[in-house]
Amino acid sequence: MKQLLFAAALVLASASAMARTAEHVVADPALEERVLKLSEKLRCLVCQNQSIAESQADLALDLRDQVREQMAAGKSDEEIVDYLVARYGDFVLYDPPVRTTTLLLWGAPGVLAVLGVGALIVRLKRRNRTSTPHLDDAQRARARALLDGDGTPEADA
Amino acid sequence: MKAKFLVPLFLFLLLAVFLGVGLQLNPREVPSPLIDKPAPEFRLSRLDDPTTQLGLDDMKGKVWLLNVWATWCVACRQEHPVLVQLSRSHQVPIIGLNYKEVRGDGMIDMHKLPAEDELPMAVNRANEWLDTHGNPYDVTVLDLEGRVGIDFGVYGVPETFLIDKKGVIRYKQIGPVTPEALKDTILPKVKALEAET
C-alpha cells in the first residue's frame, strides 16, 4: 500500500513537472508552424507594429498560447481568428475585412488611381491641343523656304 | 484670383484637416468590440477566501465596475487613490480583477516557481498592496493565468469596465480612471444605468 502511494505520488509529481515544461518543448513541429503562420497575421495589441509572432510582450505570448491551445483542440484558423476578433476587434487583424466601415480604406486607392489617370488623360489631351502651333500661310511658306535651304539666311546666324 | 489656384489650396487644407484629426487620435486606444455586448462569463477565486468564487451571475441586477489591476502595474498605483475615494462615496460597487499578479510581473521567473506556490504568493502580494494603499474593492477575484482578462479583451492594465444590471458591458475605460473621466463620463453613465430596469 505504501509503495502504491509512493508510486502514485511519483506519477503525480512528474505529471505536474511535465505540465510546467511542456510549453517550452516543441512537441509538434507541424502545429508550431501553423501557430506561427497564423500569429504572423495577428497584430499585437501592446506593441502595435509587431505581429504576435514577433512580439515578446506578455500579452502576445498569452495570445500565442491561446492560438496553440485552440489549434491543438482542433479549431480551424477562422474559428480562432473569430475568437480574437470578438475580443479585440478587427484591430487585431493585419488584413482588415471589407465592411461598411472599411469601404473607404479599401476603395480609396482605386478611386484615387482612377481620378489620377483621368486627370492625366485630360491634361495630356489639353496639352496636345494647345502645344501644336498653328502656322498661317506666310509662316508656313517661310518655314518651307528655310528647310529647303534657299531662304534668306538668318540675320544673326 | 483664378479658381485654378484655389484647387491646390483646397487640397492642402483638406490634407491639413486629415493630418490634424489624425494627430488628435490616440493609437494606443483600441476600441472594444465588447461594448453593448454581454460581459464574458467568468468564475474566479476570491482574494479574501480563495476557496470561494465569484462569477458574473453574482452581480446580476447591479450596475458595477470591473477594475483590472495588478501590483506590478505602475499606472494602477496612479489610479488607486481615485478608486479608493470612489468606494468611500458608495456610488457604485467595484469588483477588482487581479490580472496575472505573479505571472505578469516581469521580475519573477515563473519557470522556477512551482504552480502550487503561485496562488499564495499572488494572495500575499495583492493583500499587502491593498493593506498599504487602501482597498476600494467590494470583492477582488484572482485571474492568475490572465484568461478572463483575454476574454474581456484586456490588452493593458489598468482597464475598467462598466457593466449594467443585465450584465452588458456599457463602457470601457482604457488606462487609469482619472477624476475627470469619473466625473464627466463614468458616474453620469452609472446614474443613467441605475435608472434602467
Side-chain angles (χ1 to χ4, degrees):
Chain A
M1 189 59 198
K2 214 171 178 183
Q3 269 168 335
L4 201 67
L5 272 178
F6 181 70
L10 206 63
V11 166
L12 278 177
S14 65
S16 77
M18 253 151 48
R20 206 122 264 284
T21 52
E23 57 192 72
H24 305 292
V25 179
V26 179
D28 181 351
L31 179 77
E32 264 337 281
E33 200 178 322
R34 230 184 111 202
V35 170
L36 196 68
K37 218 165 158 199
L38 186 63
S39 301
E40 276 165 358
K41 293 184 196 154
L42 300 167
R43 184 186 348 212
C44 172
L45 284 298
V46 186
C47 33
Q48 302 180 346
N49 290 324
Q50 282 185 309
S51 71
I52 66 168
E54 299 160 323
S55 174
Q56 286 301 312
D58 229 35
L59 182 68
L61 298 176
D62 284 356
L63 291 180
R64 233 146 61 203
D65 283 345
Q66 283 283 309
V67 170
R68 182 178 299 116
E69 215 168 275
Q70 297 198 11
M71 278 180 177
K75 292 226 174 128
S76 72
D77 286 14
E78 284 113 73
E79 281 173 310
I80 297 169
V81 166
D82 287 348
Y83 164 88
L84 287 169
V85 168
R87 283 156 181 76
Y88 294 102
D90 289 339
F91 192 87
V92 79
L93 303 173
Y94 266 123
D95 204 359
V98 184
R99 289 175 211 261
T100 47
T101 49
T102 55
L103 267 185
L104 196 63
L105 184 70
W106 281 102
V111 170
L112 284 179
V114 167
L115 284 180
V117 170
L120 191 69
I121 290 172
V122 167
R123 232 189 132 86
L124 285 176
K125 274 198 170 153
R126 196 179 294 163
R127 195 167 65 179
N128 275 346
R129 219 179 301 136
T130 54
S131 68
T132 325
H134 287 279
L135 304 176
D136 57 29
D137 287 346
Q139 283 171 318
R140 200 175 288 276
R142 188 168 132 74
R144 176 57 50 205
L146 281 171
L147 286 169
D148 291 346
D150 54 23
T152 24
E154 281 177 44
D156 55 350
Chain B
M1 204 166 27
K2 272 190 181 173
K4 204 173 161 185
F5 293 111
L6 286 174
V7 173
L9 182 69
F10 172 73
L11 285 178
F12 169 76
L13 286 178
L14 191 71
L15 193 66
V17 167
F18 273 124
L19 292 177
V21 170
L23 279 177
Q24 304 299 314
L25 298 174
N26 181 358
R28 295 259 145 223
E29 284 199 5
V30 182
S32 175
L34 290 169
I35 305 288
D36 293 330
K37 303 250 168 68
E41 291 290 339
F42 68 88
R43 189 143 280 282
L44 289 171
S45 295
R46 294 169 61 131
L47 174 66
D48 52 358
D49 177 12
T51 56
T52 58
Q53 296 187 315
L54 180 93
L56 193 63
D57 16 308
D58 295 323
M59 298 306 289
K60 277 269 156 74
K62 286 181 198 158
V63 178
W64 56 290
L65 292 177
L66 181 75
N67 174 251
V68 185
W69 69 284
T71 63
W72 45 261
C73 150
V74 179
C76 299
R77 192 162 311 181
Q78 181 195 335
E79 132 185 287
H80 204 73
V82 180
L83 295 179
V84 171
Q85 205 163 18
L86 173 64
S87 75
R88 287 205 188 112
S89 71
H90 297 290
Q91 295 188 73
V92 57
I94 313 171
I95 301 297
L97 182 83
N98 181 277
Y99 176 74
K100 295 180 72 173
E101 177 55 49
V102 179
R103 259 178 248 193
D105 190 335
M107 296 293 148
I108 296 172
D109 185 358
M110 278 300 295
H111 304 319
K112 291 184 187 149
L113 196 71
E116 57 274 20
D117 288 354
E118 190 181 355
L119 178 65
M121 190 170 171
V123 168
N124 275 344
R125 284 165 55 114
N127 273 329
E128 210 171 289
W129 157 276
L130 293 177
D131 287 345
T132 339
H133 298 90
N135 185 357
Y137 304 113
D138 293 66
V139 179
T140 297
V141 289
L142 296 161
D143 185 17
L144 296 178
E145 298 179 340
R147 275 303 169 78
V148 174
I150 289 180
D151 277 344
F152 272 82
V154 171
Y155 66 93
V157 203
E159 283 180 15
T160 305
F161 297 85
L162 173 60
I163 300 170
D164 73 7
K165 292 177 186 171
K166 293 188 187 109
V168 175
I169 297 177
R170 301 300 285 263
Y171 178 73
K172 174 183 181 181
Q173 170 83 19
I174 296 161
V177 173
T178 58
E180 295 79 47
L182 201 58
K183 190 169 125 276
D184 299 337
T185 316
I186 298 175
L187 286 178
K189 277 182 194 286
V190 167
K191 281 228 178 73
L193 293 179
E194 288 283 7
E196 282 181 9
T197 44

